Amino acid sequence: MADRITVIGWDGTPLTEAAGAALAAATLVAGAPYQLGALPVPDTAERITLGNVQQAARRIAEHRGAAVVVAEGDPGFFGVVRTLRRPEYGLELEVLPAVSSVAAAFARAGMPWEDAQVVSAHGGRLRRAANICRAHPKVAVLTAPGAGPSELALMLRGVHRTFVVCEALGTPDEDVTVLTSDRIADHVWRDPNVVLVIGGTAPTGAVNEAAGWLAGRPIGYPGADRGWALPADAYAGAGRTEGEPGASEVLPAHVRALVLARLGARPGDLLWSVGAGSGALAVEAARFGAAVVAVEASRSACARLTVNARRYGVEVEAVHGRGPEVLGGLPEPDAAVVESGGLDVVRAVLARRPERFVALARTFAEAEEIRRAIAEAGYRADGALLQSTPLRPADEGGGLELGAGAGGALLLWGEQIV
């Protein structure tokens, strides 16, 4: 193993005295080609291009001498330190960080960022990074070749955002460009770059109370309204007016709780809510951090859904239309719920292969048809008749009695068989 391993974060500014001394004494230096060319690497030192970090770590572990790894900005923040610290390499590191590229990008934009989400598109995670951008109003994306600003903008097609593209931060070729997402794909961008994706519904007031003290707060972090599966009257226009297309009552709180548990939506996921009504379930899924597309046939219900999303400071994309007609143009779901729409909609949603699926049935006959469709689509099918009766104070004696509103809900769900 190398006698000494120093990881230097470099942001293009002059090296500190400690970093300069470590580099001058190095017998092996690993870094990006532009870093190896710009820094005073000793002529006698072995040079390694830092493409595959695992290969570099193995070579460093075999080296006898003083090794230096040069990384961008803060190497402990989505950087090489995590890989180099793996126990199989047995490396002991001294880390000399510089300003992270994310901090530098927000500084160039003149924006605070303790309330931002930071995601990496490396390792095939572009779609999940895009879903975070759908769900949150301020996101920094660490891009990768083939997963850069243009590809990200295509993933967000139809979702209006402002992109701040920071290319080659800290180098003489640094460039910062601000464009709307519909214009990003028209440009060729240089690596490395960091993208700030800004827009959507920014939480305000009490809902945003966490932003002043909790960095990178979870999406949907409870503000004035704690918890989830809130009462129906917590949502504007709960339920749909009788006579509207697909009219139904709002899902009771205990039904929403089970649906959300079966869907298991989380940050990075995209959830479809089909037949979403006024959006109580869609909004609560968004409060868990998922990106949500809600499909609803009633324009007035779509409007109420938008009001509910704004109230709770979350982003829900309301799509006016009926399934299965409108489903073909939607991005791929990780989870989906059919709140209303029938068997044809269930089959159309299952054809898009969400990992988790839930549907509500109105009759036992419909429930059996849905269960069969879930199983035939290659899912592990299950379901439940969920019944609940509210309690209320008794008129006399100070005790409790059963209240009105007893009823049941037929839930079917499926998980992909691995």
Side-chain angles (χ1 to χ4, degrees):
M1 186 180 74
D3 299 321
R4 185 174 70 255
I5 303 160
T6 305
V7 183
I8 298 174
W10 188 51
D11 57 8
T13 61
L15 295 175
T16 64
E17 183 178 349
L23 189 61
T27 56
L28 180 151
V29 179
Y34 79 92
Q35 294 168 330
L36 297 177
L39 292 172
V41 178
D43 294 336
T44 56
E46 178 183 351
R47 297 180 180 220
I48 298 177
T49 299
L50 199 60
N52 187 309
V53 181
Q54 289 85 355
Q55 290 182 1
R58 286 192 289 269
R59 176 67 191 98
I60 292 169
E62 297 168 353
H63 181 74
R64 297 300 311 215
V68 165
V69 178
V70 183
E72 293 178 35
D74 183 352
F77 186 71
F78 285 98
V80 298
V81 168
R82 181 172 299 278
T83 299
L84 295 175
R85 289 282 298 177
R86 288 182 183 176
E88 60 262 36
Y89 303 129
L91 303 177
E92 295 183 7
L93 311 178
E94 178 184 6
V95 181
L96 304 175
V99 175
S100 74
S101 58
V102 172
F106 277 108
R108 301 297 190 273
M111 300 176 65
W113 65 286
E114 76 279 353
D115 56 341
Q117 300 291 309
V118 182
V119 295
S120 172
H122 291 247
R125 295 184 178 90
L126 178 63
R127 192 176 72 86
R128 299 190 68 81
N131 288 338
I132 293 292
C133 295
R134 286 176 174 271
H136 198 272
K138 185 185 294 184
V139 184
V141 183
L142 299 168
T143 63
S150 297
E151 291 83 0
L152 181 61
L154 289 173
M155 284 277 183
L156 294 173
R157 187 170 53 246
V159 179
H160 180 75
R161 294 290 188 270
T162 297
F163 278 42
V164 182
V165 182
C166 302
E167 301 173 272
L169 283 171
T171 74
D173 298 324
E174 177 181 307
D175 196 11
V176 177
T177 306
V178 181
L179 290 173
T180 53
S181 51
D182 57 322
R183 298 179 58 196
I184 288 293
D186 298 334
H187 292 251
V188 176
W189 304 99
R190 292 171 292 134
D191 293 318
N193 62 65
V194 178
V195 182
L196 308 184
V197 183
I198 312 296
T201 303
T204 59
V207 177
N208 199 32
E209 65 181 9
W213 66 276
L214 180 60
R217 69 181 183 84
I219 307 169
Y221 184 88
D225 298 277
R226 290 183 179 270
W228 47 285
L230 301 176
D233 59 10
Y235 298 96
R240 283 169 279 189
T241 304
E242 196 65 36
E244 284 186 319
S248 67
E249 296 295 327
V250 66
L251 292 182
H254 63 281
V255 177
R256 276 180 274 129
L258 181 57
V259 173
L260 290 166
R262 290 300 176 187
L263 291 172
R266 59 190 177 180
D269 286 347
L270 177 65
L271 170 72
W272 286 3
S273 177
V274 182
S278 297
L281 182 62
V283 168
E284 291 190 335
R287 294 182 72 207
F288 277 102
V292 179
V293 175
V295 178
E296 172 53 46
S298 164
R299 289 193 182 277
S300 58
C302 284
R304 294 194 295 269
L305 190 156
T306 300
V307 169
N308 286 322
R310 287 176 178 169
R311 173 177 179 176
Y312 290 100
V314 294
E315 188 79 5
V316 176
E317 181 181 351
V319 176
H320 174 249
R322 295 178 180 273
E325 290 84 359
V326 301
L327 302 182
L330 301 184
E332 298 304 313
D334 297 285
V337 54
V338 176
E339 298 187 54
S340 65
L343 187 60
D344 288 345
V345 173
V346 166
R347 286 175 172 156
V349 172
L350 288 170
R352 296 293 289 273
R353 308 303 297 166
E355 293 180 17
R356 291 170 173 259
F357 173 82
V358 177
L360 281 87
R362 301 185 183 282
T363 66
F364 282 100
E366 185 182 46
E368 173 55 26
E369 290 178 333
I370 292 174
R371 186 205 62 79
R372 188 180 300 116
I374 293 172
E376 289 173 353
Y379 289 75
R380 185 180 296 105
D382 205 345
L385 169 61
L386 193 62
Q387 292 183 299
S388 175
T389 303
L391 297 176
R392 69 179 185 185
D395 293 336
E396 298 178 359
L400 295 173
E401 64 181 15
L402 297 180
L410 285 166
L411 265 66
L412 290 304
W413 58 82
E415 297 181 11
Q416 280 192 14
I417 299 173
V418 180

